[in-house]
Amino acid sequence: MRKKIILIGLTLFLSLLAACGGSDNGLESIQDSGTVEVGFANESPYAYEEDGELKGAAVDIATAVFAELGVDNVEGKLSDFGELIPGLQAGQFDVVTAGMAIQPDRCENALFGEPEMVYGEGLVVEAGNPLSIESYEDIADNPEITVVVMEGATEVEFLKSEGVADDQIITASDIPATFSAIQAGRADATTGTEMTVRMAFESADTEDLEIIESFEQPDIDGVPSYGAAAFSLENEELRDAYNEKLEELKEDGTVAELLEQNGFHPESNFVEAGSVTAEQVCQGEY
């Protein structure tokens, strides 16, 4: 009986060991397989799918970095934005490439690479802007206004910090869905990163909506936002290797070029190596 118990215990131990090994998605295993699985949220121009192809500034930067690490196959896994970090924690992705803003609370649940881009906020409303919305404060000052935001996006907390009430904020799965909410009369405005809402607005090609060119950027922590790749808390080696190659690609002009190719400004949206670090942003210094 004792031998049987020992055998069962040994079997369970080996099974657990095998399971742990099977879930390893660190640097060495990714390099051995030649494939990295990236989570993205279908948000142009950061990371999105078009005609079955993964595109966007964050995708192009990550692809260039992983190529330098000897990993040439980048496989995208579409997810709702709010599920990207939980997906990292669950081992569904090796890395998130969505231009995700580094935030102190997110830093508790994910390891961020160094900043790859910097960006501000944008606002879209019903054509003609009947409620005269030009800032988050305008939304806070009028409790009748409803604003729709992509689920999991930083703008939810930005709005709250400017005094917008919880019952004024609703969420949707992605940017096109926020536009649809305005067109259907379920919301009066939507906000997101400037490049996202601008490109989505241009793609929508509708007379029902208007982008607010005079939008007042909120004077709050986290604006402007610094976008970066994110890794699981257990994947420090992969994050560090990524950062090393990212710095080289910043210094040789590759990152600025890839930003420009995706509609970003190669200077105003570019973060020079060492000028702002992920650690500083995680600590709330930016």
Side-chain angles (χ1 to χ4, degrees), residues 88-269:
L88 274 177
Q89 295 171 318
Q92 296 171 5
F93 323 124
D94 300 318
V95 57
V96 164
T97 56
M100 180 178 285
I102 306 171
Q103 286 190 320
D105 59 339
R106 288 177 176 168
C107 296
E108 296 177 3
N109 298 298
L111 289 177
F112 280 92
E114 295 300 347
E116 299 174 2
M117 59 190 73
V118 58
Y119 47 80
E121 302 302 307
L123 184 74
V124 169
V125 300
E126 181 183 347
N129 195 10
L131 296 176
S132 301
I133 308 170
E134 294 189 345
S135 67
Y136 290 167
E137 288 184 355
D138 288 340
I139 298 173
D141 290 342
N142 185 347
E144 299 300 317
I145 293 176
T146 298
V147 57
V148 58
V149 183
M150 184 172 68
E151 186 175 354
T154 56
E155 286 73 23
V156 172
E157 294 305 319
F158 291 167
L159 287 162
K160 291 180 180 179
S161 71
E162 290 290 274
V164 179
D166 288 352
D167 61 6
Q168 290 182 263
I169 304 171
I170 62 174
T171 59
S173 60
D174 54 29
I175 296 298
T178 67
F179 285 7
S180 295
I182 298 174
Q183 292 169 311
R186 298 192 302 274
D188 303 297
T190 185
T191 183
T193 63
E194 181 182 2
M195 288 296 298
T196 296
V197 296
R198 185 174 296 281
M199 293 190 72
F201 174 76
E202 292 173 356
S203 297
D205 191 25
T206 175
E207 296 181 355
D208 298 335
L209 305 173
E210 176 180 335
I211 190 165
I212 301 302
E213 299 293 354
S214 57
F215 175 68
E216 298 175 21
Q217 292 290 329
D219 184 18
I220 55 178
D221 290 341
V223 178
S225 297
Y226 292 89
F231 305 81
S232 76
L233 293 174
E234 293 74 32
N235 240 337
E236 187 173 349
E237 182 186 16
L238 178 60
R239 190 275 312 271
D240 291 348
Y242 185 96
N243 279 343
E244 182 179 345
K245 296 302 181 182
L246 174 64
E247 182 173 358
E248 293 175 6
L249 295 179
K250 282 185 176 183
E251 292 175 347
D252 71 11
T254 299
V255 171
E257 181 180 340
L258 293 175
L259 287 171
E260 186 173 18
Q261 289 175 5
N262 284 278
F264 290 87
H265 195 283
E267 295 179 5
S268 61
N269 293 124

